[in-house]
Amino acid sequence: MQWIGNADLAAAVSNAGGLGTITALTFATPELLADEIARCHDLTDRPFAVNLTTLPSISPPPYAEYQRVILEGRVAAVETSGSNPALFVDTYHEAGLKVVHKATSVRHAVKAAEAGADAVAVIGFEAAGHPGELDVPLLVLLAAVARQVDVPLLAAGGIATGSGLAAALALGAEGVLMATRFMATAETPIHENVKNELVARDELQTNLIFRPLRNTARVSRNSVSDEVVEILASGGDFAAVRDLVAGRRGRTVYETGDLEAGIWWAGLSQALIDDVPTCADLVDRIVHDAETVIRTRLVDAVSDPIGTASTGTQKGSTL
């Protein structure tokens, strides 16, 4: 959610009953992040989180300074990824923050729990961003992690509806983490063209870029991401696509609505997006629909499995 996760969206999600998240590296300096955290406190009295992804790079951001701002920002939780959580969990705990660490494999989820993470976000292969290199979809990954990890789990990747929430709960999660779905909400600070495009798209319109570089990322399919895939598949290196994937170009997409201006993020859950509601309406709908699914489809299936199957009230039940 870089360039997207600002105070307005985070506060709207928290006010709706979720846990809104500010993305730290959206802001060019730690000082700007501090200002945004302060602004979020003005917009909500509910808990919210800050995401800080720490990845090795030639010219890394000043991660320690961003961390200091988060520690001093009176936020409820920090969402981390990219580095061994053992390096920073104790630091956040000493400041009273909960740590949610994102994992794309069973091994990394177990490692995060052992390091002391308060919760693990299990990222299935359907997700936008960096879903790992193992290509394991959420349906299997979440269930496999739940067998080995005792801390609370959040499910991410392909979740956009109440049915998805109900499925995640059934597989062992305590909640869900959604990004692509919240891109198409009224409060999200991106151009309406992007939101409308997410409504129009199906599950086939994403690209996996950087696969030959072992740094797979799922993005929206457009002429730019098609070109990146082609160059790398033909043996090109990162330098050959550096300008195409520049963050400034992706930010231009969100600001101007020019869908071909650069790389922009989207997960497979875009196929399940039908409208652009407010965050409050979306959260209410997802919770209501999940409760309905659990009460009707799941409870009825257990209480009358033969009758349910014979009438075909569940998808696939007559197979």
Side-chain angles (χ1 to χ4, degrees):
M1 295 287 275
Q2 190 168 14
W3 317 127
I4 300 173
N6 69 359
D8 298 290
L9 179 57
V13 173
S14 290
N15 286 333
L19 181 66
T21 303
I22 293 173
T23 49
L25 298 182
T26 289
F27 304 96
T29 67
E31 292 74 21
L32 289 174
L33 173 62
D35 292 343
E36 198 69 8
I37 291 173
R39 196 165 71 86
C40 198
H41 280 298
D42 290 338
L43 295 172
T44 183
D45 58 2
R46 302 284 185 90
F48 62 91
V50 175
N51 167 281
L52 181 60
T53 299
T54 54
L55 294 170
S57 65
I58 297 173
S59 301
Y63 289 130
E65 289 301 302
Y66 279 100
Q67 182 185 66
R68 177 187 57 78
V69 168
I70 295 169
L71 292 169
E72 296 174 355
R74 297 182 294 113
V75 302
V78 60
E79 180 186 82
T80 60
S81 63
S83 297
N84 183 350
L87 298 173
F88 43 72
V89 164
D90 289 345
T91 301
Y92 286 120
H93 282 169
E94 289 170 3
L97 277 70
K98 299 294 186 182
V99 178
V100 180
H101 191 72
K102 298 167 79 172
T104 60
S105 70
V106 174
R107 180 171 67 88
H108 288 155
V110 170
K111 191 172 183 179
E114 291 176 346
D118 299 285
V120 175
V122 180
I123 313 299
F125 189 57
E126 303 92 334
H130 295 278
E133 306 304 315
L134 301 180
D135 299 7
V136 181
L138 184 64
L139 188 69
V140 172
L141 184 60
L142 176 59
V145 170
R147 290 182 173 188
Q148 299 191 44
V149 172
D150 292 330
V151 302
L153 303 178
L154 301 177
I159 305 291
T161 65
S163 296
L165 171 57
L169 297 175
L171 289 168
E174 274 68 44
V176 296
L177 176 66
M178 294 184 293
T180 300
R181 184 59 189 94
F182 276 104
M183 288 175 68
T185 56
E187 295 90 343
T188 302
I190 59 178
H191 199 280
E192 292 301 311
N193 287 356
V194 180
K195 300 178 185 182
N196 293 334
E197 187 69 10
L198 287 167
V199 172
R201 290 200 164 197
D202 62 27
E203 71 280 5
L204 303 179
Q205 292 172 287
T206 68
N207 267 329
L208 293 170
I209 61 174
F210 303 151
R211 299 231 79 184
L213 306 179
R214 301 288 296 170
N215 188 30
T216 299
R218 187 182 298 280
V219 300
S220 178
R221 184 171 187 180
N222 63 5
S223 61
V224 183
S225 60
D226 280 345
E227 186 176 356
V228 172
V229 170
E230 182 179 350
I231 290 172
L232 294 178
S234 301
D237 59 10
F238 180 74
V241 300
R242 185 191 304 272
D243 181 64
L244 292 172
V245 302
R248 57 181 168 74
R249 294 185 58 168
R251 191 168 190 170
T252 297
V253 174
Y254 298 139
E255 291 175 347
T256 68
D258 180 356
L259 302 174
E260 303 298 323
I263 296 291
W264 55 284
W265 305 98
L268 297 185
S269 64
Q270 65 184 11
L272 307 176
I273 298 175
D274 298 320
D275 60 358
V276 184
T278 65
C279 289
D281 287 344
L282 178 61
V283 171
D284 285 347
R285 180 199 309 168
I286 287 175
V287 172
H288 175 270
D289 290 352
E291 291 174 343
T292 300
V293 167
I294 292 168
R295 275 199 315 269
T296 58
R297 295 185 186 177
L298 302 186
V299 173
D300 289 351
V302 172
S303 62
D304 185 20
I306 296 177
T308 300
S310 63
T311 58
T313 56
Q314 288 184 295
K315 289 185 178 180
S317 61
T318 58
L319 294 179

